Amino acid sequence: MMTIAVEQAAAARRPRTRRAGIASLAAYLQAAPLALILGAFLLAPLIVIATVSFWDYDFARLYPDFILMNYQDTLGSWVTWKTYLNTLKFAAIVWAVTLFLGFWVAYFLAFHIRTTTMQMVLFLVCTVPFLTSNIIRMISWIPVLGRNGLVNSTLIDMGLIPAPIEWLLYSDFAVVLAMTHLYTLFMVTPIFNTLMRIDRSLIEAARDAGATSFQTLTNVILPLAKPGIAIGTIFVVTLVMADFITVQVMSGGQSASVALMMRNQMSLLQYPAAAANAVILLALVLVMVAGILRIVDIRKEL
Amino acid sequence: MSHERRGLEFWILTVFFVLFVLFLYGPLSAILILSFQGPSGGLTFPLNGVSLHWFYDLTQQQAVGDFGGSFRRSLMLGIGVMLVTVVVSLLAGLAFRRKFLGATPLFYLAVASLVVPSIIVSLGIGVMFQQIGIPPAWYSSAFGAHLTWTLPFGVLIMFAVFNRFSPSYEEAARDLGASSWQTFLHVLLPMIAPSLVGVGLFGFTLSYDEFARSLMTSGTYNTLPLEIYGMTTNVTTPVLYALGTVTTAFSFLVIAATLGIILWLGRKRAQG
């Protein structure tokens, strides 16, 4: 997509070579702030993490060194592997649930709401809660799911269950529910965006050719929605892989994730150990993203 | 109305959508209602009377932390991040309309900034500041940490905007004798102003709510999300819900104000 933009801009400018020199200098000056900020606060910290992951440490200080102990400790521990598996489990479940919800919400908005205004209004209705604090939205599940919460007291009042269901809150179920609540928008938005750009005459052509709406869905809409699904997947998977606060609050400390393990190492000032974990987690996330990008070319989408 | 009849699929999906919206707003409204608990009320239903007790409690000295100070810090941080995000994203968007050396790596760096887990950014910046010997603070290290989250969104939005922006408007202005600065100020800027307001809203709310990236980077003084996080582990009264209600109401206010500005800009342009 960027190459297209650049080519368009270049084509638009071709007759005006007089300004070309100044223009290219301007481009560097305009790009410089972004490059400087990302260089200082993304690239440099990542280099620091990679470096520190080979350092030695004790309870008070870090010692510059080149040792593999941090990686050996991390990868040699059964707990680490279990934690990574647990994180991947959360990622897979939350991905499947948000994809299901996100696709149908986006599909409803894009194909069943007829006016653009109404589409925008309903889309905003979905968006607004996502602009408020994550932690507030998380703790808002406590009075709903808790032992004396809304769900349990309602079910008991109706006589459906004799005693409160204990696994509603502080469980893997609660973690998945809260993550779904937190991250579904990241699936809805890109899919909605892609669906809105499908040429409506393709749908009509499919219908004229005798396709049922199910056939149109599977043969026309789904293949064209793939880039949006890919972008949503990247968002949801990376957010879940990086999440520690939801896991900590909603599981009540009974479940673990890689980021939570890092967080605990950080609060014990074991920065090199956390850094080794960070390098492994980052590598895993980048491999997953690269895998998704191999299946679909999302650069065309922007 | 020449509309065809709504099929079964429409009604099933409508019910699905309504349930989804209930799922989004339901728990939030539980918090909202429970924040008006009477003084003897607890963290769950039923309501023991209705009062503003817990809102009043919020203004008092808390056992843990400092709500007013953290709110001020988060507000100033959010405004600063918003301004930098708007300006830097706009400049980057303009830069990417031309060909320049390093455009592709810079684009991928911006995308990587979205993908790198926030806790890794937090750890990296925290350790980097420690090693350089500068104490982390909400206005320096946390400011940079938040920008790594808000800038990619801003830049991607500006990409989308400029991809749909026809350069013929600028050519027309130039043919009429406008300088590049005049073209920018009187033609380009008014046309993309609503998107810039949108970028600003994104920048502010993402920073105002950011937790993981503030963890290792905000230094001695907490930002609001860190404060709320501290309260979730220590506070067992509805004062927590009162805080939730107040911050949510504030977010809604910001969103409403932003939509108002966008509508106002649109109307001004239509008149102009």
Side-chain angles (χ1 to χ4, degrees), chain B residues 186-235:
Chain B
H186 298 298
V187 179
L188 188 79
L189 203 56
M191 292 183 76
I192 62 168
S195 310
L196 286 180
V197 176
V199 170
L201 172 69
F202 251 94
F204 180 82
T205 51
L206 288 178
S207 163
Y208 178 72
D209 295 333
E210 181 57 41
F211 173 74
R213 276 165 215 257
S214 317
L215 199 60
M216 288 277 294
T217 58
S218 65
T220 323
Y221 297 104
N222 276 351
T223 59
L224 190 58
L226 290 172
E227 201 65 38
I228 298 172
Y229 172 68
M231 286 180 83
T232 59
T233 49
N234 293 310
V235 177

Side-chain angles (χ1 to χ4, degrees), chain A residues 1 5 9 12 16 23 27-28 30 41 49 62 107 112 125 131-132 136 140 143 181 242 245 248 266 278 302, chain B residues 3 6 9 16 23-25 27 31 34 91 95 97-98 101 117 120 128 131 148 163 171 175 209 216 229 244:
Chain A
M1 141 276 133
R16 300 177 181 271
Y28 287 107
Q30 286 163 344
F41 290 102
I49 284 190
L62 310 181
Y107 177 80
H112 282 284
V125 166
L131 291 169
T132 69
I136 295 293
S140 68
H181 195 222
I245 173 86
Q248 189 181 3
M266 281 151 68
L302 288 168
Chain B
H3 284 164
R6 299 290 203 179
E9 190 184 88
F16 182 82
F23 168 68
L24 290 185
Y25 285 83
I31 281 241
L34 284 171
L91 287 175
R97 299 175 81 196
R98 305 203 186 93
L101 206 66
I120 296 182
M128 184 174 79
Q131 291 301 314
T148 62
N163 269 348
E171 306 226 323
D175 290 344
D209 295 333
M216 288 277 294
Y229 172 68

